Structure formats: C-alpha cells, structure tokens
Amino acid sequence: MTFEKLADTLKALADPTRLKIISLLRIRDCCVCELVPIFNISQPAISKHLSRLKTAELVRETRKGQWVFYSLNEKRLAETGLALSHLPDLSEHLKKLEEQGLLVTCE
Amino acid sequence: MTFEKLADTLKALADPTRLKIISLLRIRDCCVCELVPIFNISQPAISKHLSRLKTAELVRETRKGQWVFYSLNEKRLAETGLALSHLPDLSEHLKKLEEQGLLVTCE
DNA sequence: TTCATACATAACAATATGGTTATATGGTGA
DNA sequence: TCACCATATAACCATATTGTTATGTATGAA
C-alpha cells in the first residue's frame, strides 16, 4: 500500500461519526434510516459519510427493496490497522541523503 | 480511547508526508534539516507536520545543540493501529433504537 | 557582541471537509 | 399512474488543512 493510498484510507477513518458508523456496522448491517437517529446530523450528511467510507472500500452497500444496507469490509479495516506497523521502507532515501552529505551527525 | 481522540490521532496520520516522516523515524531519529531535502516542501511546512505529530503524541522532540531531533513514539503508533480493531462498543445505542422502534427489518 | 544556522511562528491563500437545505432518483404499493 | 418513502445529489456555507513567504527565537562560533 502506497503512502498516498494509506493516507486516503486513514482520512476516511479520521472522523468520529464515521468511526461510530464502523463500530455499529461491526454489530450488524444497517441502512441509512437506522443510522440517522443515532447522530445529530441530517440524512444527507450520513449519506455522504457512507459514500466516503464506500469510496475507501471500508464498507459495501446492498439494496434491499427501498432500503440500502451498508456492511463493514472487515478485511479492509484490519489491513489498514496493520499497515501502520508495516509502512513502506524509505531506507534508500536516507542512503541518498548520506551520499549527498545531507545527514547531520552531532552526537 | 474515545472516538474523538482516535479520530484526532488518525487525522494526524492521514497525510502522505507525515506517514513518510514516521517511516523515516522508524529507521532513526532525524532533525528537521535532514527531513527538508527529502520532501519538496519548505522548512516551515516540515516543522508544522512535526508539530502536528507531536500534538498527537506520535513523535517526541529532543534538542541537541542547534538541532532538534524527532523520535517516533512506537507505542502510540501501535496503539492506534490496534484501536481500529477495538473500537468502543455501541451495542446499547442499537438497543435504545430497538426500544424506540426505530430499527428496520425487511428480510 | 555579532553573525550564521536551525527551527518555530505569523499571516496569508487555495483547497478540502463536514455540515446545511432543497431537490432529484428509485423502489413500493394503492 | 400516482403518492410515498428511502436515499443520493446539488448548491451553498463555515471551518480546517496544507502549502507559501516573511519574520522571530535560540544556539554556537568568531
């Protein structure tokens, strides 16, 4: 996972409302109208949060008649948590700096 | 960790430049002037990123003579990754909705 | 003291974010 | 077909984010 992609996913997670939605979806799938009364924000606001989570592939949607149910992509969420402990390696960057004499040593 | 606090920490992480800084600090402590030539942004921009990471307690700073060295708070980073798999439980919220007859069942 | 270097802060601008209300879309059922 | 319900989208606004340049502050050395 690139730094840019991971940053995008973390941005999708970095909001209390969206984290709460994810926590709720861990219990069971929910449709939009169930989520609205939990938060003190409008239905379009909830829709936009869900859309943001969907773009980040953190949730999936399934239409069931009138309702659209959202479900958690547990795999994607777990991946993201793990990615923080396995960031791409930048050792070569430091090597290049060394070659250019840009590293500071002051111990 | 509350949803709000976790969201703040994730916001601090949700930027490619800051993720790269963290990846570099994993290799070794760096001072600001070492980080500047790696990124195509100004010294004040780097300072602000480091300040953001420091506020989130993801890095610590130590002055050594002219230089200020930043080091990674590995514990805080690991904690944050794990927190995604252990979000606060919202089961009671769902229960309250059930009592209020706000849950949808359409299977 | 005086100058240079490393870093932080201030003031500003462009864009992103997260909310609102109004409206469009799509499915259900009389 | 028509009305209704659930959801999405559009247009808008306030604030946050992320960069810039200019300037202030702290340390080290002449």
Side-chain angles (χ1 to χ4, degrees), chain A residues 87, chain B residues 13 18-26 53 72 77:
Chain A
L87 295 174
Chain B
L13 289 168
R18 290 195 289 272
L19 287 176
K20 285 173 196 165
I21 289 175
I22 284 178
S23 179
L24 286 166
L25 293 183
R26 183 117 71 192
L53 289 171
L72 183 57
L77 182 65

Side-chain angles (χ1 to χ4, degrees), chain B residues 5-104:
Chain B
K5 172 85 171 167
L6 177 57
D8 280 346
T9 306
L10 291 172
K11 264 180 200 148
L13 289 168
D15 176 273
T17 301
R18 290 195 289 272
L19 287 176
K20 285 173 196 165
I21 289 175
I22 284 178
S23 179
L24 286 166
L25 293 183
R26 183 117 71 192
I27 302 169
R28 69 169 181 76
D29 297 359
C30 292
C31 63
V32 183
C33 66
E34 288 177 317
L35 295 172
V36 170
I38 299 178
F39 303 95
N40 274 338
I41 58 177
S42 62
Q43 171 266 314
I46 297 288
S47 269
K48 281 207 292 186
H49 281 303
L50 288 167
S51 167
R52 194 105 158 64
L53 289 171
K54 203 182 90 179
T55 302
E57 295 174 289
L58 286 161
V59 305
R60 300 194 193 86
E61 64 172 40
T62 316
R63 178 173 281 277
K64 288 188 185 174
Q66 283 177 288
W67 299 279
V68 176
F69 277 75
Y70 285 85
S71 59
L72 183 57
N73 183 346
E74 303 252 17
K75 192 175 155 233
R76 192 90 176 74
L77 182 65
E79 245 169 45
T80 307
L82 284 176
L84 290 180
S85 327
H86 300 88
L87 296 173
D89 184 47
L90 291 179
S91 301
E92 338 81 64
H93 269 273
L94 280 184
K95 271 184 200 154
K96 274 180 201 158
L97 283 185
E98 230 151 34
E99 287 160 18
Q100 292 167 20
L102 288 171
L103 292 192
V104 170

